Amino acid sequence: MGRLLKGLGIVLVVALAGFFIFAPGIAERNMNVIDGGSLPEITDEARELHATLTIVDLHSDTLMWARDPVERADRGHMDLPRLIDGNVALQVFSSVTKSPAGLNFDENSADARDNITLLAIGQLQPVSTWTSLLERSRWHASRLTRAANQAPDALRTIRSPEDIDALLEQRNATGRPIGGLFSVEGLHNLEGRAENLQRLYDDGMRMAGITHFFDNELAGSMHGEDKGGLTDFGREMVGEMERMGVIVDVAHCSHQCVAELITMARRPLVSSHGGVQATCPVNRNLTDDEIRGVAATGGVIGIGYFDGAVCDTSPQAIVAAMRHVADLVGVEHVALGSDYDGTVEVRFDTAQIVHVTQALIEDGFSEDEIRAIMGLNALRVIRAGIAPMEQAP
């Protein structure tokens, strides 16, 4: 009996080890998919132009997954080598801390079982991240910092306008270094405590979405149960974000929340990843009035690459949404917001982002307009938005 129990114990240990080693990778392969659809041939014109662009992507969720972002991976959509391949100059890395079971675009309860808790345990993250949303974001921030320390010639964290200036001055023909700016997707990670905003700022947070897929202490989500506006706590935190130099991201906010953010904004807003109702009538996407409102603050709309944003995954669908924003409020308000590694299915990974450049050329955008869309617009807003209020131009 003793030998049997010992044998069963060994089998159990091996099984658990196998689960923790292989399960996270299997989960990501099933969630962050490249769909294999057709892509047009890249012309010499597009390739040559792309190599000269300053490219900025406003949203990826790579830090959520248990793989080294510095190493090339055989899964997911993004890592440092693929960012270099794609000639990306600055990438916004977001922290996802909570995702309700049964997630959908229409209605989710904040009390539903949380999938990110299971992921935190399954990936053997620090125990502190198993029960604290704040600690999950702080761990994600530390992962970005560690990656930059691990590859200082290739990745630099961005916390100030001066960091952007240094990055652009130092970038060379090899596509290095790349800037990494830390964001969070929903300020439920404050855990209802105002002082945690400063803690996240000190950890490097320079952009934050107010909500994610459920209502929280700050505001209603487009995908929540009540879909209300900003709470008193939410208004207080938005004011503090603007003062500190944390860009306010309206992505996932309810229509009432977006309207109130536009009304109270003293600095440019961003919609970091999504689409527009005019080309893809999904509730997470912006109406024309909301596009006009974000543009009126001087902000930008980052267009996603996934079906929920553009009702397709083709480069042409992405550019169709960009064209609508450009025609409605001006090309200076269009940006990239891939949502790579955000449990989405896309047509191409970040190494192949030249396909967006190709589609922009085919749609008739000029070289200067393409430069603006692919990064200069987002860079303008980031540079202005991360300066503390007293330093802002």
Side-chain angles (χ1 to χ4, degrees):
M1 180 61 72
R3 290 180 180 177
L4 177 61
L5 291 175
K6 183 177 180 179
L8 289 174
I10 292 172
V11 169
L12 179 60
V13 168
V14 171
L16 286 173
F19 172 81
F20 288 117
I21 291 171
F22 296 110
I26 293 170
E28 187 183 2
R29 283 188 174 87
N30 290 330
M31 294 179 181
N32 293 322
V33 177
I34 297 173
D35 65 19
S38 62
L39 287 165
E41 183 178 350
I42 302 300
T43 63
D44 289 341
E45 177 190 8
R47 203 176 303 280
E48 290 168 5
L49 174 59
H50 190 83
T52 69
L53 300 177
T54 300
I55 299 170
V56 179
D57 178 13
L58 290 171
H59 193 92
S60 81
D61 293 326
T62 306
L63 297 175
M64 179 168 57
W65 302 100
R67 51 182 168 87
D68 188 345
V70 169
E71 300 294 331
R72 189 180 297 274
D74 61 357
R75 64 180 191 262
H77 306 138
M78 177 180 291
D79 47 53
L80 183 57
R82 284 185 281 182
L83 286 167
I84 293 170
D85 291 346
N87 192 36
V88 176
L90 192 155
Q91 178 64 55
V92 177
F93 290 88
S94 185
S95 168
V96 178
T97 58
K98 185 174 178 179
S99 176
L103 183 146
N104 63 87
F105 283 161
D106 298 320
E107 183 175 311
N108 301 276
S109 170
D111 297 324
R113 176 178 57 79
D114 173 39
N115 291 325
I116 306 300
T117 297
L118 299 178
L119 189 66
I121 296 170
Q123 294 184 155
L124 295 179
Q125 293 176 196
V127 174
S128 62
T129 70
W130 296 9
T131 57
S132 169
L133 305 184
L134 173 68
E135 291 304 321
R136 287 176 196 172
S137 279
R138 301 194 74 196
W139 183 68
H140 291 152
S142 72
R143 292 196 69 211
L144 179 58
T145 300
R146 285 197 304 272
N149 290 338
Q150 182 180 341
D153 294 331
L155 181 64
R156 306 284 177 83
T157 55
I158 300 297
R159 297 190 176 196
S160 69
E162 291 75 21
D163 289 340
I164 294 176
D165 294 339
L167 173 77
L168 297 181
E169 184 177 327
Q170 293 163 11
R171 274 181 61 79
N172 57 40
T174 67
R176 300 173 177 85
I178 290 168
L181 186 143
F182 183 64
S183 174
V184 303
E185 194 156 16
L187 284 172
H188 41 272
N189 63 355
L190 296 180
E191 298 179 338
R193 298 173 60 186
E195 61 268 27
N196 285 336
L197 186 67
Q198 183 67 53
R199 296 178 73 184
L200 290 168
Y201 181 86
D202 292 343
D203 287 337
M205 183 183 73
R206 294 298 184 269
M207 182 185 297
I210 307 304
T211 65
H212 197 201
F213 272 96
F214 49 90
D215 304 328
N216 63 28
E217 300 97 333
L218 288 84
S221 165
M222 178 55 66
H223 325 287
E225 294 179 312
D226 297 330
K227 300 178 175 61
L230 292 164
T231 65
D232 290 342
F233 182 57
R235 290 180 180 277
E236 177 189 356
M237 291 299 94
V238 169
E240 278 298 292
M241 289 165 66
E242 291 190 317
R243 181 191 64 79
M244 297 166 72
V246 178
I247 299 165
V248 177
D249 181 3
V250 307
H252 293 290
C253 268
S254 69
H255 289 305
Q256 185 177 343
C257 172
V258 174
E260 292 175 0
L261 286 171
I262 290 169
T263 298
M264 71 177 293
R266 298 175 294 169
R267 308 185 76 167
L269 299 171
V270 305
S271 176
S272 66
H273 62 298
V276 298
Q277 292 280 341
T279 67
C280 184
V282 173
N283 70 349
R284 66 166 293 150
N285 297 332
L286 299 180
T287 67
D288 282 0
D289 283 345
E290 289 168 340
I291 295 169
R292 292 187 186 98
V294 171
T297 72
V300 289
I301 291 98
I303 301 300
Y305 304 169
F306 54 98
D307 185 72
V310 295
C311 288
D312 193 359
T313 59
S314 69
Q316 293 78 15
I318 297 166
V319 170
M322 293 176 172
R323 172 60 73 182
H324 179 76
V325 176
D327 288 348
L328 184 69
V329 294
V331 73
E332 64 270 26
H333 301 292
V334 187
L336 307 180
S338 66
D339 201 19
Y340 277 148
D341 292 331
T343 65
V344 293
E345 184 173 299
V346 296
R347 184 66 53 91
F348 51 88
D349 67 10
T350 196
Q352 300 172 296
I353 198 173
V354 66
H355 283 285
V356 178
T357 302
Q358 179 71 52
L360 287 166
I361 292 172
E362 292 174 356
D363 199 75
F365 285 96
S366 70
E367 179 177 318
D368 286 346
E369 289 172 333
I370 292 171
R371 291 186 186 281
I373 291 168
M374 293 296 286
L376 296 184
N377 292 338
L379 201 63
R380 178 192 74 241
V381 171
I382 291 171
R383 188 194 299 273
I386 64 176
M389 184 67 84
E390 57 271 16
Q391 299 177 18

